[in-house]
Amino acid sequence: MRALHDIGSALRSRGFRVTPQRRVIYELLEEHGGHISADELYSLARMRQLRVSLSTVYRALDLFQKLGLVRAFRVRDQQLYEVTKEEEHHHLVCLGCGKVVEFRCEHCEELFKVLAKRYDFQVTGSRVQLLGYCAGCRGGDEEG
Amino acid sequence: MRALHDIGSALRSRGFRVTPQRRVIYELLEEHGGHISADELYSLARMRQLRVSLSTVYRALDLFQKLGLVRAFRVRDQQLYEVTKEEEHHHLVCLGCGKVVEFRCEHCEELFKVLAKRYDFQVTGSRVQLLGYCAGCRGGDEEG
DNA sequence: GTATGTGCAAAGGTTTTGCCCCAAC
DNA sequence: GTTGGGGCAAAACCTTTGCACATAC
């Protein structure tokens, strides 16, 4: 696993305090690899003996998003969070098991530039979800 | 404008009753061209003198979705609804005024097939949102 | 006439807020 | 010591549900 980002200095440098709650919530986001809900973060944090409340989880997620450290997205009526990655990426979502797989797609980004021009939109970001079934959830049952 | 779909027979043929509420809600969805919330539908329906409740709006939207007549999608923390179109399409979302513009993109669909193969996913649907600023919301202010 | 559909109000789940205490600086 | 951040409980928000009545068939 890659070294964790230094959430401490990211906060301090912008005048925010570094608390155990914020530290653990961010660590969990990184360790989980993303695609985790506020409630799951809350449970995992408590399993780690952290004294924390659900509202603190939401407040931390909010702060992290404002600082650009975390990104929220919605999958199947669930709000999920992931640490912001350098490169834009998108999601494959399995409608069977709910698994979310990231993928990168340079062609998509090129395509979006063309579309931006065509529709006279200044495109600042994109969200792509491909919905379907992963290999495991298809197993021997190939109809949709 | 294209002739409205016959929501009456769509319902009746499947054993559901045709009520004024369902009729008006569907009409509003068609007239609005999509991208409308449950609450807006409710307000518009009441402006038309229809006696209706918000729960009926939700129940109708639910039924229409189950019948494949309507599709839900989420834009900027808002749940929006649109009548199902023949061809798959995606959305440009203006972060300034909230406007949602539809676009079609054959290249996207081709690309998604390639990605499906690469990641061993059976893709049954896709959701694409390009976020940015429309011409009106940029006007004279080109920085992001 | 019967069963589905409706309005209303209450409940449900998720997210936000107020307030007072605590701890990071 | 200050003041930003936290826990807790309550509120807010959107959506769903239960129930008795209405109405499409």
Side-chain angles (χ1 to χ4, degrees):
Chain A
M1 188 192 296
R2 195 168 43 133
L4 299 181
H5 288 113
D6 187 354
I7 183 68
S9 55
L11 291 171
R12 215 167 340 219
S13 69
R14 305 222 227 171
F16 295 100
R17 293 189 183 171
V18 183
T19 65
Q21 287 82 355
R22 288 176 176 171
R23 213 185 270 286
V24 169
I25 291 165
Y26 189 79
E27 274 172 27
L28 287 169
L29 278 161
E30 284 212 307
E31 290 171 23
H32 192 87
H35 323 140
I36 187 169
S37 70
D39 202 62
E40 286 172 311
L41 279 169
Y42 172 66
S43 302
L44 290 175
R46 294 194 68 115
M47 274 188 235
R48 292 209 174 171
Q49 315 297 332
L50 180 69
R51 184 167 190 269
V52 71
S53 70
L54 194 48
S55 45
T56 293
V57 174
Y58 280 110
R59 283 191 274 230
L61 288 170
D62 212 54
L63 177 62
F64 294 163
Q65 285 181 83
K66 279 178 185 139
L67 297 181
L69 302 169
V70 162
R71 196 173 83 114
F73 59 103
R74 181 159 278 253
V75 170
R76 304 171 82 202
D77 295 326
Q78 253 218 320
Q79 194 75 2
L80 301 182
Y81 301 86
E82 65 184 12
V83 292
T84 307
K85 306 286 192 345
E86 288 286 312
E87 314 134 49
E88 183 135 44
H89 66 272
H90 305 298
H91 296 117
L92 289 153
V93 179
C94 181
L95 299 175
C97 61
K99 185 169 65 180
V100 177
V101 175
E102 294 180 13
F103 69 92
R104 271 155 248 284
C105 176
E106 294 150 36
H107 292 297
C108 292
E109 310 313 320
E110 286 167 34
L111 203 43
F112 296 161
K113 279 181 197 152
V114 175
L115 291 164
K117 197 155 286 178
R118 186 186 301 166
Y119 292 95
D120 193 15
F121 246 79
Q122 176 196 359
V123 172
T124 57
S126 61
R127 306 189 157 234
V128 178
Q129 283 185 15
L130 301 186
L131 309 171
Y133 296 90
C134 70
C137 288
R138 290 202 305 276
D141 178 292
E142 289 287 319
E143 63 260 301
Chain B
M1 189 194 295
R2 196 166 45 132
L4 298 182
H5 288 112
D6 188 354
I7 183 68
S9 55
L11 290 171
R12 216 166 341 221
S13 69
R14 306 221 224 171
F16 295 101
R17 295 190 180 171
V18 182
T19 66
Q21 286 82 356
R22 287 175 178 172
R23 213 186 269 287
V24 168
I25 291 165
Y26 189 78
E27 274 171 29
L28 287 169
L29 278 161
E30 283 211 308
E31 291 170 21
H32 192 87
H35 325 139
I36 188 169
S37 70
D39 202 63
E40 286 172 312
L41 280 169
Y42 172 66
S43 302
L44 290 175
R46 294 194 70 115
M47 275 189 233
R48 292 210 174 170
Q49 315 296 334
L50 180 70
R51 185 168 190 268
V52 71
S53 70
L54 194 50
S55 45
T56 294
V57 173
Y58 280 111
R59 283 191 275 229
L61 288 169
D62 212 52
L63 177 62
F64 295 162
Q65 284 181 84
K66 278 178 184 137
L67 298 181
L69 302 170
V70 162
R71 195 173 84 113
F73 60 103
R74 180 158 279 251
V75 170
R76 302 172 80 202
D77 295 326
Q78 253 217 319
Q79 193 76 2
L80 301 182
Y81 302 86
E82 65 182 12
V83 293
T84 307
K85 307 284 191 347
E86 289 286 313
E87 314 135 46
E88 182 135 44
H89 67 270
H90 305 298
H91 296 117
L92 289 153
V93 179
C94 180
L95 300 175
C97 61
K99 185 168 67 179
V100 177
V101 175
E102 293 180 12
F103 70 92
R104 270 156 248 285
C105 176
E106 294 150 35
H107 292 297
C108 292
E109 311 312 320
E110 287 168 34
L111 204 43
F112 296 160
K113 279 180 197 153
V114 175
L115 291 164
K117 196 155 285 177
R118 186 186 302 168
Y119 292 96
D120 194 17
F121 245 78
Q122 177 195 0
V123 172
T124 58
S126 61
R127 305 188 159 233
V128 178
Q129 283 185 16
L130 301 187
L131 309 171
Y133 296 90
C134 69
C137 287
R138 289 203 304 276
D141 178 291
E142 288 288 321
E143 62 259 300

